[in-house]
Amino acid sequence: MKVIGLFFVFVAGCMAAIGQDLSYYLPQQVSYDQRVPTPASVIGHEVGEWHVTHDRLVSYMKAADQASDRIALHPLGLTNEGRQQLVLIITSPENHKRLESIRQEHVQLTESGRSGSLSVDKMPVVLWMGHSIHGNESSGANASLLSVYYLAAAQGKEIEQVLANTVILLDPSFNPDGLNRFASWVNMHKGVTPVSDPNAREFNEVWPGGRFNHYWFDLNRDWLPAQHKESQNRLAMFHQWKPNVLTDHHEMGSNASFFFQPGVPSRVNPNTPWKNQELTAAIGSYHAKFLDSIGSMYFTKEGYDDFYYGKGSTYPDINGSIGILFEQASSRGHQQDTENGLLTFPFTIRNQFVTAMSTLAAANGLRKELLDFQRDFFKDVSKEAAGYPVKAFVIGDENDKARTNIFIEMLLRHEVEIFELKQEYTMDGKSFKAGSAYVIPTNQKQFKIIKTVFEKTFEYKDSLFYDVTAWTMPLAFGLPYAEVKTLGSLTGSRLTKVPVVAASQSLVPGAYAYAFKWNEFYTPKLLYRLQSKGIIAKVATKPFRTMVNGKEESFGYGSIVVHSGMQAVQGAILSKLIEECARETGVDVYALPSGLARGGVDIGSSSFVVLRKPEVMMFGGVGTTAQDVGEIWHLLDTRFHVPVSIVDVERFAGANVGRYNVIIMPSGSYHNLGRSGHDKLRSWIAAGGTLIATEDATRYLADNGFTHSMFKGSDEKKDSTIQLPYYLRMDEARAKDMAGSLFAARVDLTHPLGYGYTNPQVTVFKSNTLFMDKHNGAYDTPVLYTGDPLQSGYLYRGYKNVVKNTAAINIDGMGTGRIISMVDNLNFRAFWLGTSKMFMNGVFFGSLIRP
Ligand SMILES: [Zn+2]
């Protein structure tokens, strides 16, 4: 096998190169089509001279598309900040003429019933090149300028042959908003005279940094949950094409070298076939040869893994594709002193470009193997699925259709086939109803996705993890589900799109009161909308039953009542206003004809408490964890349209906080809150405020005398006679991490934090080693871990007993206010919807809690 043709001969170069022209990067002995504009002629600077901004990157992609008949630009959609996501489809002009038939034939490889008759002899291989999903790991996106120029402009038989055999889907920037944030930062600090001192501001971004998307989420964890626009736009294209190889260009610490997969063999997810790793290694031999040819250092099989399917280099592995992670030591600016000498931005870009080219060479060299692998993968999946003991999962919550839908929508994005439930189905005491539950048969093409989404894992080959160890999605979403062993005739028609949740009835004007139950996901959105329109709403702290349209309806704890007589608007204006808000949120509202209940409390009872509209402040900036702040911002803003003022910890002491009634203290160190900030927070709480703290912030509050929470550590006995070999030192420490596992807790359904829940058992995500003792007060620990809490995931042996019966949430009083200490992250990655309701209850009902 000829690994490096003449075509891919690069010039070996040192690390110290800055402001290079194209000759530094591109293969030698190749002529280039003059009609294709160079990157510099469009973006206004040489590649690597400045960090490319996203708008300039897009300008170049458009110019290359205009100039080259090898390129077709395909817009994917817009990011939160309105930046364009796009993919360039790059292949020979002949292939472009029959692109749709190439695509259709290619996708047939994934249809086990039809793929047998296909010949792969002449079939192009499909290669997705993806860049800089972490915006501050920008050498990838900058290298994409070179890849596009080269693929568009290089001349000769060799490139023509490569393009005839390959369809390249090139995504220049997986995270446009983050890329642009980072580019602005490093460019604004670059002077005429280069500075390479790691202490300099250029290399130390301000909070939150460019790694994340607009809401400060790590998009390289979102491929599976797919809760973000960027992932949703991208997944649609991924499944349209089902690439054979997908590359994911990242950066790592500045003192490292270059990493390419395969990663740590013992940490490959068991759902990934071993052949995938063999092909990854075969592709890796190309990277090695190419990097050898330019004299760059690299390593493999260490540090990174293929376990969590939410990452770009692992998601393809469960889809018959090969995901490849690249990690380049980061210059984190234009040039930086490192342990390995001066690391320049152009040097990092060149390694990324060279490995993009080695992947292209590998995809061509291994074309038939990759295509055969894809076909075999889906044939094997089909056999495995047919023999799987669970024939279908039935899932859905009749009390929360919106949350059910968000789950269903997530699966549809992965092309999972889902059917309506045709008739009522009962299993293990759980009952599922047609109209609010769905059937997911396991014997289907995307069986592997279904398996990883539903399975619980307890066994691991390794005790070190790069990311979470479990993600059992129905538990995360808090949805009732059942395993069906005999499918029978449960399935109705197939879902082609997400069902619409519509508020059913139109409301009669002039009713005595209007009410809605608190169980639906979007109830906080409805309540906030009503409150912001001046409607006075009360919450039921005790349940009641009443007649509505001749039928008795039960309203549980937390139901919201709008008494008509209390409102500034009346009659049809009032009913129309409520009806409109209900329609926008899909929540059913009931018109109550009378104040007299048939059971429970009457509408005039003091068990109904007037709610104040939440005026929410949240700590952010230095001292807090950007992702945790971002998750809460995303929840309040995008799900419920509740505005939140994010205030820097350092500014708090000087802020006018009298305007807030809820302050959120997300995970963080709060080392910089200062004495006056500290005192201000105390007096604000004492005056009646609700402080909600999560994870590390609960520890800060306990250590600083705000709360009485006590924490405990591992109960493992130290054996002083054991002598362990030194090389195990790091691994031993990391095995004690809690990378992310699922634990069962019991919630008091009568407590304001439990309003809207119907099942007292919830699944909490835990990724810290804070174990909080239950408070002494009988009512002060509304959410408590069970005596046997592990539901899925890795748990270090020293914590097995410690976590039992600890508090998930403690309440402390201070003056007339209260502190809600949530020791774990109830809003993890925007899909842990089973517990985010509890968090929202803190925001809306915190003021009801009397410690
Ligand atoms: Zn990264």
Side-chain angles (χ1 to χ4, degrees), residues 134 137 211 250-251 327:
H134 296 139
E137 301 176 2
R211 178 182 177 89
H250 287 250
E251 291 181 6
E327 293 276 355

Short mmCIF file of all heavy atoms in Angstrom, two decimals, residues 134 137 211 250-251 327, ligand 1:
data_model
loop_
_atom_site.label_atom_id
_atom_site.label_comp_id
_atom_site.label_asym_id
_atom_site.label_seq_id
_atom_site.Cartn_x
_atom_site.Cartn_y
_atom_site.Cartn_z
N HIS A 134 -14.86 22.82 20.35
CA HIS A 134 -14.51 23.73 21.44
C HIS A 134 -13.90 24.98 20.81
O HIS A 134 -12.84 24.91 20.18
CB HIS A 134 -13.52 23.05 22.40
CG HIS A 134 -14.13 21.85 23.07
ND1 HIS A 134 -13.46 20.66 23.29
CD2 HIS A 134 -15.39 21.68 23.56
CE1 HIS A 134 -14.29 19.83 23.90
NE2 HIS A 134 -15.45 20.41 24.07
N GLU A 137 -10.31 25.98 20.79
CA GLU A 137 -9.35 25.00 20.26
C GLU A 137 -9.36 25.20 18.75
O GLU A 137 -9.80 24.36 17.98
CB GLU A 137 -9.77 23.59 20.68
CG GLU A 137 -9.84 23.48 22.21
CD GLU A 137 -10.35 22.14 22.72
OE1 GLU A 137 -10.64 21.25 21.90
OE2 GLU A 137 -10.47 22.00 23.94
N ARG A 211 -14.64 28.01 24.87
CA ARG A 211 -14.87 26.57 24.68
C ARG A 211 -16.34 26.26 24.37
O ARG A 211 -16.65 25.39 23.57
CB ARG A 211 -14.47 25.84 25.97
CG ARG A 211 -14.71 24.34 25.95
CD ARG A 211 -14.32 23.73 27.31
NE ARG A 211 -14.59 22.32 27.40
CZ ARG A 211 -13.72 21.37 27.04
NH1 ARG A 211 -12.54 21.68 26.55
NH2 ARG A 211 -14.03 20.10 27.17
N HIS A 250 -9.53 18.77 17.82
CA HIS A 250 -9.50 19.49 19.11
C HIS A 250 -8.09 19.98 19.43
O HIS A 250 -7.15 19.74 18.68
CB HIS A 250 -9.90 18.53 20.25
CG HIS A 250 -11.34 18.19 20.30
ND1 HIS A 250 -12.17 18.65 21.29
CD2 HIS A 250 -12.11 17.40 19.50
CE1 HIS A 250 -13.39 18.16 21.10
NE2 HIS A 250 -13.38 17.40 20.00
N GLU A 251 -8.00 20.64 20.60
CA GLU A 251 -6.70 20.99 21.18
C GLU A 251 -6.68 20.58 22.64
O GLU A 251 -7.72 20.48 23.28
CB GLU A 251 -6.45 22.51 21.08
CG GLU A 251 -6.23 22.99 19.67
CD GLU A 251 -5.95 24.49 19.61
OE1 GLU A 251 -5.84 25.13 20.67
OE2 GLU A 251 -5.87 25.01 18.48
N GLU A 327 -6.20 15.67 18.98
CA GLU A 327 -5.93 16.67 20.03
C GLU A 327 -4.56 17.25 19.76
O GLU A 327 -3.56 16.54 19.83
CB GLU A 327 -5.96 16.01 21.42
CG GLU A 327 -7.33 15.49 21.85
CD GLU A 327 -8.23 16.54 22.47
OE1 GLU A 327 -7.76 17.69 22.66
OE2 GLU A 327 -9.40 16.21 22.76
ZN ZN B 1 -11.70 19.81 22.86
#
